[in-house]
Every structure is written in structure tokens, then in C-alpha cells.
Amino acid sequence: TYIETDTKNRARVSLTGESRSFINEYIRNSSKVSPEDKLAIGIHGRRPPHVIIPPHTVPVLKARAGNPREVVIEYWDAEGGGRGKPEDVHGIEVLWVILDHEPVRDAEFTHSAFDTRSPLTLIFDEADRGKRVYMVGRWEIEREGLKGPLGEIVSAFIP
């Protein structure tokens, strides 16, 4: 009947999963099974951890006017030949501030935005139209919180 078949199938799935887990663990940790035998049956050794280093290159920013109150920022890697972000980098952090003069220190940038795919669009308030926004970017590996050096400061007027 259907109930007996269903019960049998559930028991088989449960037993198969538990058996595979037990056998896999036994074979991995057993000194009786040679590394060649492990490879032959498809059990590969654990890879060493991947060392993640902070990004060392800087992004290049190009700002242009978008719709009213929008500044569109295209970005790419300075050393990548115009080909997006570097390998292992999750995205870009763009620091920005609206000022009457070019920022002198990094601490003057009071806002930030994170993006993973160019272009990034910043949207401003109506009161900010006609003002100059200064922006600078750096690559970021978000999971680890690793950030690269800041690139060149660029500016644009808010349309």
C-alpha cells in the first residue's frame, strides 16, 4: 500500500544519508585507507584556507549628471584596463560630501554608499541641486571588512 511504500522510502533516505556520512568520515580519518585509494573513490583532501588580502589597487571614478537630483558614478579598476572590479573584491565603497571646497582630509567625507556593479547612482534632495559633490572610492571585501586605499577625488554638480 501507499503508506508502507512511503514509510520504506523515508527509512531508506534516512539510512542512506546516515550511512554515507559515517562511511565518509571513517574513510577520511582512517589510516587504513591510502591517499591514492581515497582519490580513487572520489574523496579529496581538504583544501588549505584561502588567504584573503586587502585590495591594493584603487578604483577610478567618473561622475556624470543623471536625472534631476541624480549623479551617476561609473567605476573600474585603475590597473584592470577598464575591466570592472579586481578579483576577490566584493564591491566599492564611495565616500561623498557636499562642500564649497575640495576636501583636504578623508574625515571630511561624511556619507558613504556601497555598490557591487557599476554604475552607482546617488540621489540627492531638491535643496542640493546646483551644489558640488565630492566623491572618492575604495575597493572592499565586505565579508572580512577589508578595504583598499582611496583613489582620486572627483567632483560633479548635482543637476
Side-chain angles (χ1 to χ4, degrees):
T1 66
Y2 174 75
I3 296 174
E4 293 170 354
T5 304
D6 188 48
T7 304
K8 176 189 66 114
N9 288 342
R10 286 186 196 190
R12 186 186 72 234
V13 168
S14 174
L15 183 60
T16 302
E18 291 172 14
S19 301
R20 284 184 180 161
S21 177
F22 172 77
I23 292 168
N24 196 350
E25 192 65 29
Y26 175 78
I27 291 173
R28 281 188 192 279
N29 297 321
S30 174
S31 60
K32 296 178 183 179
V33 183
S34 71
E36 293 80 20
D37 290 338
K38 290 177 185 177
L39 285 174
I41 60 175
I43 296 178
H44 304 282
R46 290 188 168 89
R47 291 183 290 181
H50 180 67
V51 177
I52 299 175
I53 57 172
H56 65 279
T57 63
V58 295
V60 175
L61 303 182
K62 179 182 175 186
R64 62 178 170 80
N67 292 326
R69 301 181 304 123
E70 293 183 356
V71 173
V72 179
I73 305 164
E74 297 172 352
Y75 55 87
W76 59 90
D77 188 35
E79 295 180 13
R83 292 209 38 160
K85 56 191 179 195
E87 189 175 342
D88 291 335
V89 167
H90 183 242
I92 187 172
E93 179 185 29
V94 175
L95 306 171
W96 59 273
V97 65
I98 298 172
L99 289 175
D100 295 332
H101 61 280
E102 185 169 331
V104 180
R105 301 179 330 270
D106 299 344
E108 289 187 72
F109 290 97
T110 55
H111 305 281
S112 72
F114 184 79
D115 194 52
T116 58
R117 186 171 181 179
S118 183
L120 165 66
T121 302
L122 298 177
I123 301 172
F124 299 92
D125 294 330
E126 184 66 30
D128 294 329
R129 289 183 76 173
K131 295 180 181 177
R132 184 181 289 268
V133 60
Y134 292 90
M135 299 151 286
V136 65
R138 62 181 164 198
W139 298 121
E140 183 174 339
I141 302 175
E142 190 178 39
R143 283 188 321 267
E144 286 75 16
L146 301 173
K147 297 180 182 187
L150 292 170
E152 296 288 322
I153 296 173
V154 297
S155 68
F157 285 102
I158 300 168

